[in-house]
Amino acid sequence: MDLNKRIILTGDHVIHAAQGRDAETGLPVVVIKLDSRGGETMHEATAPNIGRRMAVIFIEHKPIVTTEIVDGERVDSHSSRAEKRVVSLATILEPLPYSFQISGLTVNEARELAFLLRAGALAAPMYIVEERTVGASLGEENVERGMIAVAIGFGLVLAFMLAYYKVFGLIANIALTLNLVVLVAVMSVLGATLTLPGIAGIVLTVGMAVDANVLIFSRIREELKSKPPAQAIPAGYDRAFLTILDANVTTLFVALILLTIGSGPIAGFAVTLSIGIITSMFTAIFGSRLLVHLVYGRARAEKVWI
């Protein structure tokens, strides 16, 4: 394809470019707005060329690294190579003013053209210094390491709770395991994908669930100094409830904000964290309380292993 080398405008005259729909036909178009100088230049160039075709060319500067041996030392010299490609070729139907649109595109073509025009409107040229392609094996390895981190952290938490809180630690471990099961089940129902940020949310959920049990058990220990177990255990749960609720609700607000304004990995982390907060509150407060009631509720225990 032969192109006239005369450049009408460069990207720095483009104020805005967006994908849209034609008001009459409903077909995809790209709406372009130019600055005052660009509008005048475009009108002067297109007025005598009605019926001819005008191309939009994207120029990409790719780096070239040349290695030379100078005085026995390796010296890298950097340069760039400009690669040009036609991203749109449209027929001029009328003199184009400051704002005009390019039609005859598919949805994907309109989206790509609008993106490239906005990229070309940057005040400074953009050079690709380094380009890498990450394969699926690297992502799989990261997920595997994340799962190993969850398993190690989960095991250490179980061992600590069992050694420090005795029978109550065993109850907390059962509730914590139930929390993970419910969390994974809810994510499966919602069709959520387990990514590396999602695994980080699971790790944080494990810590928050244990934190709730620690608050409850510490409160029960304080109540046991002045009350029998039958009164100290319910009082410990009741008095720790407001503290746990306040901590989890504030964290839930932050997770919802991340979910609202974030995208990609941030949104994945926020989804897992939000679900984990709700499941951890349920298992730490209601699940563990049910298990404690089953162990100490019927018999009037005089000594509690906590």
Side-chain angles (χ1 to χ4, degrees):
M1 181 185 299
D2 295 330
L3 296 175
N4 191 331
K5 294 185 178 180
R6 180 194 171 195
I7 298 177
I8 302 175
L9 289 176
T10 56
D12 52 355
H13 292 286
V14 178
I15 298 178
H16 182 64
Q19 176 189 1
R21 294 277 181 177
D22 187 89
E24 297 180 357
T25 63
L27 297 177
V29 297
V30 175
V31 181
I32 304 171
K33 293 183 179 180
L34 305 175
D35 58 14
S36 59
R37 183 178 177 184
E40 294 175 359
T41 304
M42 179 64 72
H43 187 274
E44 293 175 357
T46 56
N49 291 292
I50 296 177
R52 301 185 64 182
R53 308 186 80 181
M54 180 177 65
V56 177
I57 302 176
F58 184 77
I59 302 176
E60 181 179 3
H61 295 272
K62 291 192 174 182
I64 300 176
V65 180
T66 305
T67 303
E68 298 178 352
I69 304 300
V70 180
D71 297 332
E73 295 183 359
R74 178 178 176 179
V75 179
D76 294 336
S77 58
H78 299 269
S79 60
S80 63
R81 180 182 71 253
E83 292 189 358
K84 303 178 181 179
R85 64 186 178 100
V86 178
V87 296
S88 176
L89 191 61
T91 302
I92 303 173
L93 300 179
E94 59 182 358
L96 300 180
Y98 301 97
S99 178
F100 59 93
Q101 64 183 29
I102 298 177
S103 59
L105 306 170
T106 64
V107 175
N108 293 332
E109 290 174 345
R111 184 185 302 112
E112 181 184 7
L113 178 58
F115 173 77
L116 293 176
L117 287 172
R118 290 194 300 269
L122 297 175
M126 182 171 55
Y127 300 93
I128 300 176
V129 178
E130 184 177 359
E131 183 177 356
R132 294 184 181 182
T133 301
V134 179
S137 59
L138 180 60
E140 182 180 359
E141 181 181 358
N142 287 336
V143 173
E144 290 178 356
R145 291 184 178 182
M147 297 302 296
I148 293 174
V150 172
I152 294 176
F154 185 68
L156 292 176
V157 169
L158 295 182
F160 171 79
M161 294 297 291
L162 185 61
Y164 194 75
Y165 290 107
K166 308 298 188 301
V167 176
F168 277 77
L170 177 61
I171 293 174
N173 290 342
I174 296 175
L176 184 59
T177 305
L178 179 62
N179 176 38
L180 285 182
V181 173
V182 174
L183 174 59
V184 174
V186 173
M187 293 183 63
S188 299
V189 171
L190 296 178
T193 303
L194 186 60
T195 59
L196 199 60
I199 296 175
I202 293 177
V203 175
L204 183 58
T205 299
V206 171
M208 294 185 63
V210 171
D211 180 64
N213 287 121
V214 169
L215 290 174
I216 293 172
F217 297 160
S218 298
R219 191 63 189 175
I220 292 175
R221 279 182 171 178
E222 294 179 2
E223 296 292 336
L224 286 172
K225 295 178 181 179
S226 58
K227 298 178 182 179
Q231 298 178 3
I233 293 176
Y237 274 94
D238 293 338
R239 296 189 176 184
F241 175 76
L242 291 179
T243 303
I244 297 172
L245 181 64
D246 178 69
N248 283 273
V249 168
T250 53
T251 307
L252 182 60
F253 284 156
V254 175
L256 293 177
I257 292 173
L258 290 176
L259 183 60
T260 301
I261 65 177
S263 61
I266 297 178
F269 173 79
V271 169
T272 308
L273 181 60
S274 301
I275 300 174
I277 290 172
I278 298 174
T279 58
S280 65
M281 285 191 62
F282 174 77
T283 56
I285 297 175
F286 301 103
S288 65
R289 188 166 189 168
L290 175 62
L291 294 175
V292 171
H293 178 73
L294 292 175
V295 175
Y296 293 105
R298 297 180 180 179
R300 295 292 180 178
E302 298 182 356
K303 186 177 181 180
V304 177
W305 294 91
I306 186 172

